[in-house]
Amino acid sequence: MRMPTLLVFGAATAAIALAGCGGGGSSSSSSASSTPAAASTPAAASSTPASSGAGSNLKISADPSGQLAFNTKTLSAKAGSVTITMANPSPIAHGVGVKGGGVDKVGATVNKGGTSTVTVTLKAGKYTFFCPVPGHEQAGMKGTLTVQ
Ligand SMILES: [Cu+2]
C-alpha cells in the first residue's frame, strides 16, 4: 500500500519540478533579451570619457641644460586621442611634434618657461615625436611613441 502512494507522490513532484524548469527557462530567455540594453550602457559610458577629452596625456620636457634632447626617448599611449605636452626649461627654444603613419603635426615653438602642446588621433603603431626647430630632430631631439 505504501509503495504506490510514494510513486504517485514522486511522479507529481517530478512534474512540478519540470514545470518549474520550463517557467524558469522562459523567464531567463526574457532576461536575455534585456541584455542588449544592458550592453549599451557600458558603451555609452565609454563614450563619455572620449567626449570629455580623455585620452592619453603625455608630459615630457626639453633638456634643461640646453642639450638638443627631450627627457625621454620613448613614450607610449593608447590608440585614440593623444596629447603630448612639453615643458621647456631650456635656454633654447623648442617645440614638440608627432609624425608617422600619415600623421604630421607640430605644436608651437616656445622659449624658456613655455609649454608646447600637440594633440593627434593615432591608431596602434609606432610614431616619432620630435622637436620641429630646424636641426634639433637631426641632432637627436626625437623619440619613439608607441601606440597600442
Ligand atoms: Cu628643440
Side-chain angles (χ1 to χ4, degrees), residues 120-137:
V120 286
T121 300
L122 302 176
K123 290 182 282 193
K126 287 189 183 297
Y127 301 83
T128 297
F129 64 95
F130 64 102
C131 176
V133 175
H136 288 201
E137 179 189 357

Side-chain angles (χ1 to χ4, degrees), residues 4 14 16 28 37 50-52 65-66 73 77 79 84 96 99 105 117 122 124 134:
I16 291 166
S28 72
S51 62
S52 67
S65 68
K73 284 280 190 181
I84 302 176
V96 66
K99 63 183 177 181
K105 191 171 181 184
T117 301
L122 302 176

Side-chain angles (χ1 to χ4, degrees), residues 68 92-95 131-133 136 141:
L68 299 182
I92 300 171
H94 294 298
C131 176
V133 175
H136 288 201
M141 199 167 188

Side-chain angles (χ1 to χ4, degrees), residues 45 47 55 138 144:
S47 72
Q138 289 75 7
T144 301

